[in-house]
Amino acid sequence: MATAVARPVFVPASRERATAGTLALALAALFALPWALGGGGSALLRAYAGEWTLWPLVAATAAALVTAWRADDRATAILAGGAVIWTFAAGFAAGAKGASFGWGALVSLFALTVAFARAIARRGAFKGDPVVSSIVVVIAALLAIFIFFPVGKVLAAALFDAQGGFAPGLAGERLFASDIWGAGCFGGGTRCGVAINTAMLATVVGFGSTLLGLILALVVQRGGRRYAGVTRLMSILPIVTPPFVIALALVVLFGRTGIVTGWLDAWFSIPRSRWLYGLPGVAIAQLITFSPIAFMILHGALGAISPALEEAAQTLRASRWRVFRTVTWPLLRPALANAFLLGFVESLADFANPIVLAGNFEVLSTKIFFAIAGAQHDPGRAAALAVVLLALTLAAFWLQQRWIGRLSYVTVTGKGDGGIHAKLPGPLWKACFGVAAAWIVFTLVCYAIILTGGFVKDIGRGDMTLTLHHFGQGFGIDFSSPAIFSGSAWDSLFTTVKVAAIAAPLTAIVGLLSAYVITRHRFAGRRTFEFLTMVSFAIPGTVIGVSYIVAFNVAPLELTGGMAILVLCFVFRNMPVGVRAGVAALAQIDRTLDEASSTLRASTRRTLTRVILPLLKPAILATLVFSFTHAMTAVSAVIFLATAKYNLATVYIIGRVEAGEYPLAIAYSSVLIVLMRAVLFAVQRVVGEAKLGRRSTPMMATGG
């Protein structure tokens, strides 16, 4: 009996044509689009002009197109992958003398990467799914270029001297200098090193923000629905708050010429001082800034604790103190560790509050900034400080994992759970309520200072004369024909909105596509890919900024000074949020929907676009909102990347603070708060609010 030789099920003819079409696009880009920034012709013209390194790329692309048309997948993968590797190797080998990649290079390299991914899928990788293969390979390549390459380069930069020579001895001197690790403040009467200062500050803020977040969460979770408004307030504050708002408010209140300082001097003869400028002021500002983040984590964790466990302890006649100490507190361990970690890491990376309040108390983020932007301009020194900052962050992650351990903290199961949470001990409840009330009042006073400070002449000096001068100075409009935006802040605001509007959808696309392949597909290296998508979360923004300056200031990836580097920084800095939002949303979508689509012979692309994406609307909008608002308020990474042409709102405000123009900085901050609150309100109206919970009224009995 004759047997027919069938083609592999994962290699339909349409996909062969798609791979060939992708390579045809790459070849067309090499023939028609400018290869480098600044012109100079296409890759083919430049090759004819004498750039011999482009001939292997053109030849390999043409050969890959032929092999793809013949369905020789092995040869196609080798040629396409080899062309990409050759191009980057030749570009980096040429260094500053070479050309920076332009549109021709970008389009051709992207198409070659997709062709490589499709070819290896046709060979059996990723279970023969070219869509999954393309997503994973392209995103992994982007992460390698825009996260691992720059961070690796900044780590390596610490090993070289100012002339580019390899100097490991100099690296040791930089990393272990006394001004970094000196501990004289613990007994010698001198200052501590910048690493010791940073670690002390981060530890204080980590513990303090976790404690405040826990107190607020206990009041809201154990106080009933009457405190639901606090939940909404605390969840919105960290999103709409520019990172230097609290520092400005504290200066207005407690600075040497501040409102409270003046009252204390006039009423109680307490002399004016500069106590705010140093560890106390920075710690207070960071506690107010980061405590809402800890609150949101612990609020969710408290709500997830099974009431049945606390009721069981009460049934065994345990007191309220014993229930809290032996049941509630141990189950909060992972949330407490995460809250501390976030507070610690955010404090390490914070730039805005220290630049306003640190004074002579040096921390790593500001030290790195002045090593790059200051008169010394020592990138090697900045790289060494960035290595120290990254090491402190990774040490915090390691300690968190050690403290949590391998114990199980699961309390939410598939079983019914209709109990009521145990009440807090009376003294603990009163203490928590008092601290929470005082903290919230103080926080609201700080925000009131910002929202009103732009409307008075000089709130910092007590001149409360009403005026719109500061808004006119920053956001004035000349209505002469034609009308022009005459205020000094308009350019930075327009640039910030433009950058944020471009970065937000790109962040959502990259993050949600990554989440899709992580949750819905099984392939070799899936765990590694998931780790790669999340690793930028562990890298402080200051390190990211320095690494982009070091890596992307020369060919072939010369991006500094343009808008592209700002967009890319925001996309890959905020990408983990999109990934986690997508993973959480996809976990609630039954896989049988994917299976039904596949049963009807829909491709992965069609299933993704017609079935999955419509159900991910809340996650998509949440990612868009976070990415947009974070891009509007970020400062630690982009402080190094902004230029006079592409200035950002936060960098503009920092400049006004350094120049002593506090009223204008306050007015701009209030504009950002109102703008981002309006964005959040609009999104909430579009998305709505999920209302999942128990019935508030009993069901009516029906006869029958």
Side-chain angles (χ1 to χ4, degrees):
M1 183 174 61
T3 58
V5 179
R7 296 169 63 89
V9 296
F10 50 80
V11 194
S14 61
R15 295 186 184 178
E16 295 174 13
R17 290 196 296 269
T19 305
T22 303
L23 288 165
L25 174 64
L27 197 61
L30 295 176
F31 276 62
L33 294 179
W35 174 259
L37 292 176
S42 66
L44 185 63
L45 292 177
R46 296 174 74 96
Y48 272 116
E51 290 189 35
W52 67 269
T53 56
L54 294 176
W55 280 118
L57 170 63
V58 176
T61 305
L65 176 58
V66 174
T67 58
W69 193 257
R70 293 180 175 180
D72 187 349
D73 305 316
R74 183 173 182 274
T76 302
I78 292 173
L79 289 167
V84 173
I85 294 172
W86 170 266
T87 303
F88 276 103
F92 285 118
K97 298 179 181 179
S100 296
F101 290 158
W103 281 109
L106 296 178
V107 173
S108 59
L109 288 172
F110 175 79
L112 285 166
T113 304
V114 173
F116 168 79
R118 297 184 68 90
I120 63 174
R122 288 164 48 82
R123 296 278 299 172
F126 300 95
K127 295 185 178 181
D129 193 324
V131 174
V132 174
S133 178
S134 299
I135 292 173
V136 173
V137 171
V138 170
I139 291 178
L142 291 174
L143 290 172
I145 294 171
F146 295 111
I147 293 295
F148 292 95
F149 166 66
V151 172
K153 192 159 185 178
V154 78
L155 297 180
L159 300 173
F160 294 86
D161 58 23
Q163 290 72 38
F166 184 64
L170 178 60
E173 294 178 7
R174 287 169 171 166
L175 289 172
F176 299 103
S178 59
D179 65 338
I180 296 178
W181 299 104
C185 61
F186 292 112
T190 59
R191 297 178 184 176
C192 273
V194 65
I196 302 298
N197 286 344
T198 305
M200 284 194 304
L201 173 64
T203 302
V204 170
V205 172
F207 280 113
S209 62
T210 303
L211 178 60
L212 282 171
L214 177 62
I215 290 172
L216 289 164
L218 288 172
V219 169
V220 174
Q221 273 289 344
R222 297 301 193 256
R225 295 179 59 85
R226 52 185 167 172
Y227 300 112
V230 178
T231 306
R232 186 176 298 274
L233 174 66
M234 293 298 103
S235 62
I236 288 176
L237 283 180
I239 298 175
V240 302
T241 304
F244 31 72
V245 159
I246 300 301
L248 290 175
L250 290 177
V251 170
V252 172
L253 287 171
F254 302 107
R256 186 172 177 81
T257 59
I259 297 173
V260 176
T261 304
W263 289 346
L264 293 175
D265 184 22
W267 294 352
F268 303 104
S269 299
I270 298 177
R272 301 173 184 268
S273 68
R274 297 179 57 85
W275 69 269
L276 184 68
Y277 300 98
L279 175 61
V282 180
I284 293 172
Q286 291 185 346
L287 283 174
I288 297 175
T289 304
F290 303 137
S291 292
I293 301 175
F295 161 77
M296 288 189 290
I297 294 173
L298 294 166
H299 179 270
L302 276 169
I305 292 177
S306 172
L309 298 175
E310 296 177 336
E311 285 186 344
Q314 290 177 316
T315 302
L316 295 174
R317 298 185 179 180
S319 65
R320 291 184 181 179
W321 274 110
R322 190 171 182 84
V323 171
F324 180 78
R325 182 172 55 85
T326 61
V327 178
T328 309
W329 179 261
L331 291 174
L332 286 175
R333 193 171 179 176
L336 290 168
N338 282 319
F340 172 81
L341 177 66
L342 279 175
F344 188 92
V345 172
E346 291 288 346
S347 175
L348 288 178
D350 183 31
F351 173 83
N353 290 309
I355 198 69
V356 177
L357 294 172
N360 294 326
F361 182 80
E362 293 183 325
V363 295
L364 283 167
S365 58
T366 55
K367 192 83 168 177
I368 292 171
F369 171 73
F370 288 117
I372 290 287
Q376 53 183 311
H377 187 65
D378 189 350
R381 169 72 169 168
L385 293 169
V387 170
V388 174
L389 183 57
L390 183 59
L392 290 176
T393 304
L394 296 178
F397 273 88
W398 180 78
L399 289 173
Q400 182 222 28
Q401 293 300 315
R402 292 279 297 178
W403 189 67
I404 293 177
R406 298 180 178 273
L407 299 177
S408 174
Y409 301 90
V410 174
T411 64
V412 179
T413 67
K415 300 179 180 179
D417 188 15
I420 300 175
H421 287 292
K423 293 183 178 180
L424 294 177
L428 178 61
W429 164 255
K430 293 178 182 178
C432 289
F433 185 84
V435 172
W439 188 91
I440 291 172
V441 169
F442 183 64
T443 302
L444 293 178
V445 168
C446 291
Y447 278 89
I449 290 292
I450 295 300
L451 294 176
T452 61
F455 293 96
V456 298
K457 189 170 183 179
D458 193 345
I459 192 172
R461 299 180 183 276
D463 190 343
M464 305 300 287
T465 306
L466 293 177
T467 180
L468 294 176
H469 170 73
H470 311 307
F471 288 98
Q473 182 182 358
F475 301 97
I477 301 177
D478 185 353
F479 290 99
S480 60
S481 181
I484 58 173
F485 296 96
S486 58
S488 61
W490 281 118
D491 287 343
S492 63
L493 181 62
F494 289 150
T495 302
T496 305
V497 172
K498 185 186 299 183
V499 170
I502 296 173
L506 293 177
T507 305
I509 291 170
V510 175
L512 294 173
L513 287 178
S514 300
Y516 171 71
V517 296
I518 289 170
T519 57
R520 285 301 203 257
H521 297 276
R522 298 292 181 266
F523 52 88
R526 184 173 66 90
R527 292 294 183 188
T528 302
F529 178 73
E530 183 176 8
F531 169 76
L532 296 179
T533 62
M534 297 302 298
V535 73
S536 64
F537 174 75
I539 303 175
T542 312
V543 176
I544 292 288
V546 173
S547 67
Y548 271 46
I549 285 290
V550 172
F552 300 132
N553 63 344
V554 294
L557 297 174
E558 188 175 0
L559 300 172
T560 53
M563 183 182 291
I565 195 171
L566 298 170
V567 173
L568 291 168
C569 180
F570 285 133
V571 169
F572 292 98
R573 178 70 177 145
N574 299 330
M575 176 185 172
V577 176
V579 175
R580 299 327 299 176
V583 168
L586 285 164
Q588 297 177 312
I589 300 175
D590 199 330
R591 290 177 180 270
T592 56
L593 296 174
D594 303 43
E595 296 170 358
S597 179
S598 300
T599 302
L600 295 173
R601 298 187 177 182
S603 64
T604 301
R605 178 184 60 81
R606 192 173 181 83
T607 300
L608 178 60
T609 56
R610 295 296 184 90
V611 178
I612 300 299
L613 287 181
L615 296 173
L616 287 179
K617 180 181 175 182
I620 293 172
L621 289 175
T623 305
L624 288 173
V625 169
F626 177 87
S627 303
F628 182 85
T629 55
H630 194 72
M632 291 289 294
T633 60
V635 63
S636 61
V638 295
I639 188 70
F640 305 97
L641 307 177
T643 62
K645 183 178 180 181
Y646 297 106
N647 198 14
L648 298 179
T650 52
V651 180
Y652 177 92
I653 296 175
I654 288 294
R656 302 287 68 73
V657 171
E658 291 180 334
E661 300 177 16
Y662 287 100
L664 179 55
I666 290 173
Y668 203 156
S669 298
S670 63
V671 169
L672 286 183
I673 292 175
V674 173
L675 175 62
M676 288 183 290
R677 183 65 189 92
V679 171
L680 283 177
F681 177 76
V683 171
Q684 287 173 349
R685 292 293 300 270
V686 172
V687 180
E689 184 178 355
K691 297 182 182 295
L692 300 176
R694 300 184 178 90
R695 295 185 303 272
S696 58
T697 58
M699 292 181 63
M700 296 286 293
T702 58

